[in-house]
Amino acid sequence: MITPRTTRLVRAADLHAFHHAIVSCLPEDPAAARACAVIVPSRSAAEELRRTIENYDLLPAMAEPRGRSGDDESDEGSAGPRWMARALPDLVTRDELYVRLRERMPGAPAPLSAFDREVLLRRSAHAAHTAGVEPPFNLRPGLIGEILGLYDELRRRHRTVADFERLMTDRLESTAEFDRGAARLLAQTRFLVATFVAFEAALSTVAGVDEHGVRALALVSPRPLYRRVVITVGDQSADRRGLWATDFDLLTRMPGLEAIDVVATEALLASGYYQRLHENILPGIEDVRFEAPPVPPPILVVPDSKAGDDLQRSFVCRDREEELAEFARALKSHPGRQTPLGRTAIVFQRPLPYLYLARQVFEDARIPYQALDSLPLAAEAFAAAIDLIFTAVAADFTRGALLELLRSPHLMFAAEGAALSPADVHALDRYLVDQKYLGGVERLLQLAERARGKTPSHAGVTRGLAIAGSVASDLASAVAESTASGQIDGIVAFITSRERRPAATDPWHARHMRARAAVLAALQMLRDAHAAYDPAPLSISELSGAVRRWIEGQTFSARLGTTGVMLLDARAAAYADVDEIRIVGLIESDWPERGGRSIFYPQSLLAELGWPGDQDRLAAGRAQFQDLLRLPRLRVSLSTFTLEEDAIVSPSSLLEEVDAAALPIERLVTSARRPARVFTHEAIAIEPVVPDVLQGNARDWLTLRSARVFDHARFRGHTGARAPATYAVSRMERYLECPFKYFATTILKLPEEREEQAWMTPQERGHFVHEVFESFFTEWQALGYAAITTTNVEDAIALFEAVGERHLAELPEGDRALERTLLLGSAVAPGFGERAFAFEIEDGVPVIERLLEYPLEGTFAFAADGETRRVLLRSKADRIDLLADGTFRVVDYKLGRAPEKKRSLQLPIYGAVAQQALEGRHGRSWTLSRAGYIAFKDKAAFTLLQQPQKAMLEGQEKLLAVIDAVERGDFPVQPDEPFLCNWCPYPGVCRKDYVGDE
Ligand code: SF4
């Protein structure tokens, strides 16, 4: 073993000094640079450090604000740069360091991929279970990853499996007898120990090497792997991207390593890192204070406030999106702003959702921006397509999941030479709804077979069914393979045979291909890992869970833009050379960053194994914030927000520490930071509209709309006079609900937007219930029964059940259970039949004749305001019962609730019309005695029409008023009550935004 020649702690006063200190540690000799590694917290931090080093090398006057290399704006004020060529050392994260170490060892075993390790651990966990060590949880794919994480953390904290077993068992065994929680943790410990032991045994038999193996090999490497290492990250107690105890141990013992430089700011060291370095991590380390040219502190830009008000330190926005919008506004309107955009940064703790929001906000404000960060692979469109495949398989190809898959723009489906079009998918959707398709490959294939050879008008459905059938059977065959690798091969074959790639000229092409390569590589590695270590087939939930988890766990290094405002996470920002920053997202949960919690053990138990508490990390987070405040050369500003997805959030406590930085303050003058328009949407929403901010069709459409002069009467729903027509009473009721709804239904004849549902639609259920009642009363009368009374109600219920069951048998199987409950009732609610019979029993007058689904058609006389008018009507009464006393009653079934009296026309008008239509029937006149709605969603069994004769008169007046309005052509957007819009089938065509604006 060779002891490093020097181990230095290079102390930097602030982040400027930190940058210089790192540069000062880098060897200038190219060969020495190649033997040097600089450890940084992330890839984006490495990129920022590279740019900062180049800036420092490029321009000698380091204390002055300057442009950035590679940036369009970077040359401003940088006349005569002096380029100093430098071979850069390896700028690596901790994980990358292990990759490089293995690569630098000739003949080292191949690396074990993360997939290999997880498959091995899964196998070990199942082996432990099979051997009789019962886990106190279900072994879901997500838990396998967590177990592996715990194992790695133990090893990285210098703990063996035996240490873990001993410490945990000692603590838990004594209390497990009377404490169920402790007993559960003990059982968990036994299972984890058995799994870890099996895992280590498995690792010892495979050819590959993981991080722990690389560490062991590096310690005995016959040749130096690096001669100098510069550590710019903290330890794990300070930063979850920092180095572990075993990493420091490796570096202090690695053969040939001559120098270790730990570079840190004074603020970070004061948070506890200094003490840990000296006492535990690198005892005896030499302290060096790095002297850098002093840099004046930046100005803290704060919101404008009235004289006498408390000075606000941060901009307070509604949400994260508004934070970016606020900054975009400030960038565009600050009068004295001289900072090039390329030297301006937005700094956040969590990249998401800022990276996604920036696309929207900055593009809308026409501000260029750039970012190099790790985005979740799962958020890439290609990964989303994979998710659709697994969702469809896991859901057994239910209609929703299947159609989502068929609609994916990343996959291409065709049958018999014709591609599946959106219209085909729509037709297929309607067809599957009509067929009550509930999923299943077999059913899909049956439907496809039945549709084959149907009329050409059916072509879209036939094609859609053929494709859906082949998609479902191909995927079902893939997951039915006998090995996990076969299953994954099948899924990959499905994807590659149907994928749709963007054209090479498409701006998304490169990004799509990278995401595609990353996803397919992940599937391939998972496949290889299973082929090598665990060939047993996976259940669909295991397979989809494993793939999804992998995709969700992967990040995707994406570069967004190349010039403009930089979007930096806090760690990368610490390495950046910038003039102005806005620190955003300053809420309690983000700043300072919290450590993750173990899902297996409470902190008190983990402390025994050397897990640090939260205090060290919180203290380091505060130090990081203080350093960031002084990072830019010119200006810093802060922003917080109040709403996170509708939840109110608290500002970060770090805001209370801003004054400690003692920065000079400048107020952002309100009038200057609020220009009339910053965003495209403002240019088209604020008068005068400027169509030229848009392009192509959007601009043409806006120009057309802007040029239109609205005819106010027409614009407000007045179409002009209409000829008298034949009217339906139910439609007239619709007019009373909302005239525009009537217009959409009756005049425009628009199809209703229906809610997607696999079960019966309200219309279908309405038909069904009416049919059942019609059959029941026909049979009831045929059996010689007349009125339903207390003495024969049992017979009526029995007959109703028999008739109901007969009709239910004709329904698709999936609908029957629900419809049976509604129709025949359940233990908790009466059925439709019982409710209907209660209405009749109350009357007690014998029935002479029942008129079922009785048409009321023709010209009828209606009286209003002392006048009588004749109107053509076409309607159908659900039921009219002629009674022995010369009166009749009208019954109307409603599946929902009875209509409000003020909007109710059917019963009074049916009454008035029936009196005329029934004149002379059975040789006499008939008068209305009773009318009621049997509304199945109302609590009461039925809703009576009060004072029928008076109601008939009022109903006639209302009807004639509606007819007058229709014939005048008045169809304003005017719901009788706003809540009616909630159930309206025409929201897509209705300008309901004009409701109530007069
Ligand atoms: S959404 Fe409302 S305003 Fe529009 S048509 Fe329907 S009920 Fe009328």
Side-chain angles (χ1 to χ4, degrees):
M1 182 171 46
I2 301 169
T3 307
R5 201 167 54 206
T6 59
T7 308
R8 297 187 311 159
L9 168 60
V10 186
R11 305 172 60 163
D14 55 23
L15 287 175
H16 297 281
F18 178 68
H19 300 163
H20 288 295
I22 294 172
V23 173
S24 76
C25 294
L26 306 183
E28 290 190 0
D29 171 60
R34 279 194 291 277
C36 173
V38 180
I39 303 176
V40 292
S42 66
R43 199 74 316 267
S44 47
E47 176 64 9
E48 283 312 312
L49 179 59
R50 182 192 62 75
R51 296 212 280 192
T52 297
I53 294 169
E54 286 175 2
N55 273 2
Y56 282 19
D57 286 343
L58 181 66
L59 298 158
M62 290 189 290
E64 294 303 316
R66 304 175 290 269
R68 300 167 65 80
S69 63
D71 196 305
D72 285 347
E73 296 163 280
S74 64
D75 290 341
E76 288 175 24
S78 62
R82 181 168 55 81
W83 174 252
M84 189 181 98
R86 177 195 288 276
L88 279 179
D90 279 351
L91 306 181
V92 289
T93 63
R94 178 223 174 244
D95 289 350
E96 288 166 350
L97 175 71
Y98 281 90
V99 174
R100 299 286 165 86
L101 288 176
R102 195 201 62 80
E103 287 168 354
R104 284 172 178 241
M105 285 186 272
L112 272 181
S113 74
F115 294 88
D116 294 331
R117 299 184 77 231
E118 196 164 306
V119 169
L120 281 170
L121 191 112
R122 177 180 174 277
R123 192 181 84 185
S124 307
H126 284 292
H129 190 190
T130 311
V133 191
E134 196 70 31
F137 40 66
N138 282 338
L139 271 174
R140 297 191 312 272
L143 271 182
I144 298 289
E146 294 290 336
I147 297 173
L148 187 54
L150 177 67
Y151 172 81
D152 282 336
E153 190 156 353
L154 280 170
R155 296 291 312 274
R156 289 166 185 167
R157 291 192 188 283
H158 265 320
R159 294 291 182 183
T160 62
V161 175
D163 295 336
F164 169 65
E165 181 178 22
R166 180 171 40 77
L167 285 165
M168 286 297 175
T169 309
D170 285 356
R171 273 294 301 272
L172 294 166
E173 233 169 17
S174 54
T175 50
E177 213 177 311
F178 48 86
D179 178 345
R180 283 172 60 186
R184 191 172 188 282
L185 288 180
L186 187 61
Q188 172 181 283
T189 304
R190 289 192 173 126
F191 173 74
L192 292 174
V193 168
T195 300
F196 294 159
V197 168
F199 180 60
E200 291 191 337
L203 281 178
S204 66
T205 62
V206 300
V209 63
D210 65 3
E211 162 198 323
H212 310 295
V214 170
R215 196 159 44 239
L217 291 174
L219 285 171
V220 293
S221 170
R223 47 178 280 191
L225 302 177
Y226 282 107
R227 292 193 181 277
R228 173 182 284 269
V229 170
V230 181
I231 301 169
T232 70
V233 294
D235 61 346
Q236 273 290 316
S237 298
D239 185 350
R240 65 186 174 84
R241 296 164 196 82
L243 295 190
W244 300 80
T246 44
D247 302 328
F248 283 108
D249 177 69
L250 167 67
L251 295 178
T252 52
R253 295 197 291 138
M254 203 160 72
L257 185 62
E258 295 163 0
I260 300 173
D261 290 324
V262 179
V263 186
T265 63
E266 292 290 2
L268 177 65
L269 290 168
S271 72
Y273 187 35
Y274 182 87
Q275 192 178 1
R276 293 194 297 275
L277 274 173
H278 276 278
E279 291 179 5
N280 309 322
I281 300 172
L282 297 168
I285 189 169
E286 176 195 352
D287 266 20
V288 179
R289 207 174 286 274
F290 184 81
E291 300 299 338
V295 177
I299 294 166
L300 175 66
V301 179
V302 300
D304 197 12
S305 53
K306 288 190 209 125
D309 285 358
D310 283 348
L311 192 69
Q312 259 181 269
R313 271 25 179 203
S314 64
F315 293 84
V316 181
C317 301
R318 186 188 61 236
D319 52 25
R320 294 186 197 264
E321 182 176 351
E322 200 183 282
E323 285 188 289
L324 295 191
E326 167 64 44
F327 190 54
R329 226 173 255 293
L331 286 181
K332 279 207 154 177
S333 56
H334 197 293
R337 197 170 187 289
Q338 292 151 352
T339 321
L341 290 181
R343 294 190 54 80
T344 304
I346 285 194
V347 177
F348 34 72
Q349 190 72 269
R350 289 198 281 146
L352 295 183
Y354 291 105
L355 293 180
Y356 293 134
L357 289 173
R359 185 180 302 154
Q360 201 172 307
V361 174
F362 286 128
E363 283 178 12
D364 194 17
R366 312 247 171 127
I367 295 176
Y369 65 96
Q370 53 180 317
L372 174 69
D373 219 311
S374 301
L375 296 174
L377 184 57
E380 292 300 305
F382 189 81
I386 307 297
D387 201 48
L388 291 178
I389 293 172
F390 282 111
T391 303
V393 178
D396 197 19
F397 308 100
T398 50
R399 184 175 63 89
L402 180 66
L403 292 170
E404 288 287 304
L405 177 60
L406 295 180
R407 285 190 183 115
S408 169
H410 303 286
L411 298 169
M412 202 163 47
F413 302 99
E416 294 168 6
L420 188 70
S421 69
D424 295 342
V425 178
H426 180 72
L428 176 65
D429 184 15
R430 297 326 317 156
Y431 183 78
L432 294 178
V433 169
D434 291 344
Q435 295 299 314
K436 307 292 174 203
Y437 168 74
L438 295 176
V441 183
E442 284 307 313
R443 171 100 169 109
L444 207 48
L445 293 175
Q446 275 171 10
L447 291 174
E449 185 57 39
R450 215 187 291 161
R452 203 162 290 146
K454 287 264 170 78
T455 56
S457 64
H458 207 65
V461 172
T462 310
R463 186 161 43 248
L465 279 170
I467 289 170
S470 85
V471 162
S473 56
D474 283 3
L475 286 173
S477 318
V479 295
E481 283 288 331
S482 58
T483 59
S485 51
Q487 292 173 311
I488 298 168
D489 279 342
I491 300 284
V492 171
F494 178 88
I495 298 165
T496 49
S497 64
R498 290 171 170 92
E499 66 176 317
R500 185 198 301 267
R501 297 185 192 184
T505 50
D506 189 313
W508 280 90
H509 180 263
R511 185 161 172 176
H512 173 92
M513 295 309 285
R514 284 184 61 210
R516 174 188 183 275
V519 169
L520 292 183
L523 285 171
Q524 185 64 38
M525 281 196 273
L526 187 62
R527 178 221 172 277
D528 292 347
H530 274 286
Y533 307 120
D534 193 4
L538 302 169
S539 69
I540 181 60
S541 63
E542 283 177 314
L543 181 60
S544 62
V547 173
R548 278 192 176 126
R549 217 183 61 69
W550 268 106
I551 289 179
E552 278 162 17
Q554 303 298 299
T555 52
F556 175 72
S557 279
R559 170 168 282 291
L560 309 171
T562 51
T563 61
V565 176
M566 290 183 292
L567 272 58
L568 296 174
D569 64 74
R571 298 233 157 31
Y575 294 82
D577 175 25
V578 284
D579 288 346
E580 177 169 350
I581 63 170
R582 163 80 52 105
I583 303 179
V584 294
L586 281 161
I587 58 166
E588 197 59 58
S589 56
D590 283 17
W591 295 83
E593 189 181 37
R594 304 282 192 275
R597 295 243 165 248
S598 166
I599 63 164
F600 295 111
Y601 295 101
Q603 179 59 31
S604 55
L605 273 180
L606 291 172
E608 305 255 332
L609 291 161
W611 261 245
D614 273 350
Q615 298 83 348
D616 290 336
R617 223 171 249 183
L618 291 178
R622 289 177 188 282
Q624 173 202 38
F625 180 68
Q626 286 294 334
D627 279 339
L628 281 178
L629 285 177
R630 290 179 161 262
L631 168 71
R633 293 175 187 273
L634 296 179
R635 278 187 293 274
V636 60
S637 54
L638 311 168
S639 144
T640 182
F641 61 90
T642 51
L643 271 182
E644 177 95 292
E645 291 176 359
D646 295 338
I648 294 181
V649 290
S650 309
S652 165
S653 57
L654 293 180
L655 286 169
E656 290 159 21
E657 299 174 18
V658 174
D659 288 349
L663 302 178
I665 288 179
E666 175 188 297
R667 288 171 197 246
L668 192 64
V669 181
T670 308
S671 58
R673 73 182 177 87
R674 292 282 171 204
R677 308 165 201 224
V678 167
F679 300 100
T680 304
H681 68 263
E682 291 172 336
I684 61 176
I686 299 174
E687 292 292 345
V689 170
V690 187
D692 284 346
V693 296
L694 301 178
Q695 281 152 13
N697 286 345
R699 185 188 50 206
D700 296 347
W701 174 241
L702 181 60
T703 308
L704 178 75
R705 288 289 305 261
S706 309
R708 252 170 56 184
V709 177
F710 292 114
D711 166 340
H712 282 279
R714 285 192 158 260
F715 189 59
R716 302 271 162 193
H718 302 287
T719 63
R722 302 186 58 79
T726 305
Y727 298 103
V729 182
S730 56
R731 296 277 168 96
M732 299 285 105
E733 271 189 356
R734 194 158 256 216
Y735 189 98
L736 290 174
E737 288 174 8
C738 174
F740 189 78
K741 191 153 123 184
Y742 173 89
F743 181 69
T745 318
T746 313
I747 316 270
L748 297 180
K749 299 194 188 322
L750 296 178
E752 299 192 355
E753 281 178 26
R754 287 197 296 178
E755 276 203 16
E756 305 227 340
Q757 49 194 33
W759 55 87
M760 281 177 123
T761 63
Q763 291 84 351
E764 288 167 339
R765 182 172 292 139
H767 287 141
F768 175 71
V769 171
H770 279 89
E771 269 173 27
V772 172
F773 273 108
E774 193 180 352
S775 302
F776 164 78
F777 279 113
T778 307
E779 291 187 29
W780 180 253
Q781 292 192 147
L783 287 169
Y785 288 106
I788 297 173
T789 63
T790 45
T791 50
N792 64 17
V793 67
E794 292 299 323
D795 298 345
I797 291 174
L799 179 63
F800 188 79
E801 282 185 5
V803 171
E805 285 295 355
R806 228 174 37 235
H807 281 265
L808 285 166
E810 289 165 17
L811 293 182
E813 200 181 334
D815 288 338
R816 280 182 217 150
L818 175 61
E819 299 310 317
R820 180 177 288 111
T821 310
L822 294 175
L823 197 64
L824 306 180
S826 66
V828 293
F832 290 175
E834 275 179 70
R835 282 168 161 250
F837 303 153
F839 177 68
E840 182 154 344
I841 288 170
E842 273 204 357
D843 245 1
V845 187
V847 176
I848 291 176
E849 187 185 3
R850 284 180 205 279
L851 307 173
L852 305 170
E853 302 293 317
Y854 189 66
L856 295 166
E857 292 180 4
T859 305
F860 297 95
F862 295 101
D865 299 331
E867 259 186 67
T868 300
R869 282 167 57 186
R870 302 188 71 74
V871 173
L872 258 175
L873 274 196
R874 186 169 52 235
S875 283
K876 195 184 270 181
D878 288 347
R879 209 176 100 205
I880 297 176
D881 295 341
L882 303 184
L883 306 178
D885 61 1
T887 64
F888 67 91
R889 66 183 169 222
V890 179
V891 179
D892 199 64
Y893 305 122
K894 291 274 177 240
L895 286 172
R897 299 187 189 285
E900 285 274 325
K901 185 166 173 271
K902 60 178 177 167
R903 294 193 291 272
S904 157
L905 276 182
Q906 277 173 301
L907 289 182
I909 298 301
Y910 291 164
V913 170
Q915 283 188 177
Q916 298 173 46
L918 296 171
E919 182 61 35
R921 195 174 184 102
H922 298 293
R924 58 174 303 170
S925 298
W926 298 90
T927 52
L928 178 70
S929 60
R930 211 160 182 249
Y933 291 107
I934 298 175
F936 298 114
K937 279 201 180 154
D938 279 343
K939 272 199 185 142
F942 50 84
T943 307
L944 266 186
L945 183 70
Q946 302 297 335
Q947 299 178 289
Q949 296 304 324
K950 185 168 173 253
M952 277 198 294
L953 286 176
E954 288 169 358
Q956 291 176 64
E957 279 176 18
K958 250 186 273 175
L959 178 80
L960 292 179
V962 170
I963 289 173
D964 285 345
V966 169
E967 291 178 2
R968 278 197 309 274
D970 289 349
F971 304 106
V973 171
Q974 212 165 61
D976 189 46
E977 291 180 57
F979 84 89
L980 291 168
C981 297
N982 296 345
W983 319 111
C984 177
Y986 299 108
V989 293
C990 167
R991 292 174 164 169
K992 53 184 170 292
D993 47 327
Y994 301 137
V995 173
D997 67 351
E998 288 171 300

